[in-house]
Amino acid sequence: MSVPRWVILVLSLACGVGVSTIYFPQAISSLVAADLRVSTGSAALVVTAAQFGYAAGIFLLVPLGDRLPHRPLIVTLLTLTAAGLLAASAAPSLPLLVAASAVTGVTTVVPQIIIPMAAGLVPAERRGAVTGTLLSGLIGGILLARTFSGTLGERFGWRAPYVVAAVIVLALAAILSRVVPDTEPSTRLSYPSLIAAPLSLLRTEPDLRRSCLYQATVFAGFSAAWTTLTLLVTGPTYAMGAQTVGVLGLVGAASMFSTPLAGRLADRRGPDTVSLLAMLGTIASAAVLVPAYGGGTTGLLALAAGMLLLDVAVQSGQVANQARIFALRPEARARINTAYMTCAFLGGSAGSWLGVRIYDRFGWRGVTGLVAALAVVALARHLHHVRRAQRGKRRPDRAGFEKRESTRRP
């Protein structure tokens, strides 16, 4: 099937809008804390709940992308997301806001249905580039969401971003009801079998397992950094408002232009090359972010540069990982993506939770250490894979050499 470029661009926009609903609370957690009279650490639970909900939604709903036509599934989930956002905007207390945030996270998994769908609509040689384009939209949503909510929240209060986001999501549902291509389900498996399939794929696909580890670790560091960034910027070191977090998000949004490049590099040189560069970039970003603990102009510049580098590295790694896993089982891309993204967002949720605890105890330098340590774990696993692959290549060569030598002997 030939998919027009404008359709890919609309789907990219949908990925950005869809994912933004679980990220914009990061920039307004201090406003939530002040209005609901809770600590900033407690208010950060809104972000953690959204990410845990997102991981649950990926596990429970994304496999349906292999079982149901995509258009009605996507439109239904967007409508439910809008309802959850409106419920969050009206929450009178933190527990209810956390609950609404978790429910919204469950239903806002549309990007993880769109991406494997699009991968199946284009030729293999374009898969990395198309995945990169979709992820650029997703990244834009992640990062611009903070600018959107920080600016709107400072002016109209923390509830305003939820209301505006609900209206945008409903408009998007109407557009996609006409734009999403007609698709046929790739399986007739029952729902329990669909839910069990990702676990089976994790057992049988080693490349899927290592891709999950790569993203879970670096995304945990990414989430830890972005969640605690609000605490750093609005705390005594900088004493700035939520709008500053939004501006830093706007700087980081430049990383959305790097993912199509990463996708084309993955098509040409293979996903493992991009993965290695992404891990090294994550470690480098942690080093760049360290001076931010001191505050001042130097600190702000370090924050802007370090968060941009971190965003580029993590999202480029995402492109490489998804290019790798979508080549494994064409008939089960949604289930493979379920396994992968569930692991990734469980890592992100754990990173948000751990990042706040480390920040409370060790400050910003502790968070940067966490980012670097998690990336080193991924790098160690990747280097182990590379060494094994190189040994595997040498063995057949040696066997072939011995066979050739034996034929020469009299």
Side-chain angles (χ1 to χ4, degrees):
M1 179 185 293
S2 177
V3 182
R5 180 169 175 76
W6 70 267
V7 172
I8 297 297
L9 293 176
V10 171
L11 294 177
S12 178
L13 174 64
C15 288
V17 172
V19 79
S20 67
T21 59
I22 62 169
Y23 284 96
F24 74 72
Q26 288 180 338
I28 56 173
S29 59
S30 60
L31 302 176
V32 171
D35 184 59
L36 299 182
R37 299 179 182 178
V38 297
S39 68
T40 53
S42 296
L45 289 173
V46 176
V47 178
T48 303
Q51 290 183 333
F52 270 119
Y54 195 63
I58 289 169
F59 184 75
L60 296 172
L61 299 178
V62 171
L64 293 174
D66 287 335
R67 180 66 177 79
L68 300 175
H70 289 104
R71 185 189 298 163
L73 176 61
I74 288 170
V75 172
T76 299
L77 290 176
L78 287 173
T79 304
L80 292 173
T81 298
L85 290 168
L86 290 174
S89 72
S93 64
L94 182 63
L96 291 176
L97 177 58
V98 169
S101 184
V103 171
T104 301
V106 171
T107 60
T108 191
V109 293
V110 165
Q112 304 312 324
I113 294 172
I114 288 176
I115 292 173
M117 176 193 75
L121 297 176
V122 298
E125 62 271 16
R126 287 187 59 208
R127 192 167 295 138
V130 168
T131 300
T133 299
L134 294 174
L135 285 176
S136 71
L138 185 141
I139 295 164
I142 292 173
L143 300 175
L144 295 176
R146 302 180 181 107
T147 305
F148 154 78
S149 62
T151 302
L152 203 62
E154 281 283 342
R155 189 160 188 176
F156 300 106
W158 68 266
R159 298 178 191 274
Y162 283 97
V163 175
V164 174
V167 173
I168 294 173
V169 169
L170 283 175
L172 179 64
I175 294 171
L176 292 187
S177 68
R178 296 182 176 275
V179 170
V180 174
D182 291 323
T183 58
E184 293 293 331
S186 62
T187 182
R188 294 294 177 186
L189 287 174
S190 65
Y191 181 70
S193 297
L194 285 173
I195 295 301
L199 297 176
S200 175
L201 289 165
L202 278 171
R203 288 195 300 271
T204 58
E205 296 289 349
D207 280 347
L208 175 60
R209 288 197 300 274
R210 68 183 178 95
S211 297
C212 289
L213 175 65
Y214 293 169
Q215 196 65 13
T217 49
V218 297
F219 191 57
F222 175 91
S223 297
W226 271 109
T227 300
T228 56
L229 176 69
T230 302
L231 305 180
L232 175 68
V233 171
T234 60
T237 301
Y238 289 94
M240 295 181 176
Q243 189 170 0
T244 304
V245 181
V247 172
L248 288 170
L250 187 60
V251 171
S255 64
M256 64 189 291
F257 300 107
S258 69
T259 50
L261 299 176
R264 288 193 285 271
L265 181 60
D267 287 337
R268 291 196 308 268
R269 300 287 299 275
D272 281 356
T273 298
V274 180
S275 290
L276 176 60
L277 294 174
M279 294 165 194
L280 295 175
T282 302
I283 295 170
S285 73
V288 174
L289 286 168
V290 171
Y293 82 93
T297 303
T298 301
L300 280 175
L301 290 174
L303 279 177
M307 296 307 287
L308 174 58
L309 179 56
L310 178 62
D311 293 339
V312 169
V314 172
Q315 304 305 338
S316 295
Q318 173 92 320
V319 173
N321 290 329
Q322 291 192 304
R324 184 185 300 113
I325 65 174
F326 288 154
L328 298 176
R329 302 275 189 96
E331 79 286 354
R333 286 194 177 100
R335 283 161 282 173
I336 283 177
N337 201 43
T338 295
Y340 170 75
M341 293 304 303
T342 299
C343 292
F345 272 87
L346 285 174
S349 302
S352 292
W353 181 87
L354 185 60
V356 172
R357 272 74 197 163
I358 288 180
Y359 183 85
D360 286 341
R361 186 163 184 177
F362 301 105
W364 180 250
R365 283 177 289 185
V367 174
T368 60
L370 175 65
V371 173
L374 290 169
V376 167
V377 171
L379 179 62
R381 174 64 182 88
H382 184 67
L383 294 178
H384 174 68
H385 165 75
V386 171
R387 286 194 296 269
R388 288 188 61 184
Q390 289 173 342
R391 286 199 299 269
K393 288 179 180 178
R394 284 197 296 267
R395 288 194 191 104
D397 290 343
R398 183 174 180 182
F401 172 77
E402 291 173 350
K403 183 177 180 180
R404 288 192 300 270
E405 287 297 302
S406 66
T407 60
R408 296 174 184 170
R409 295 169 188 158

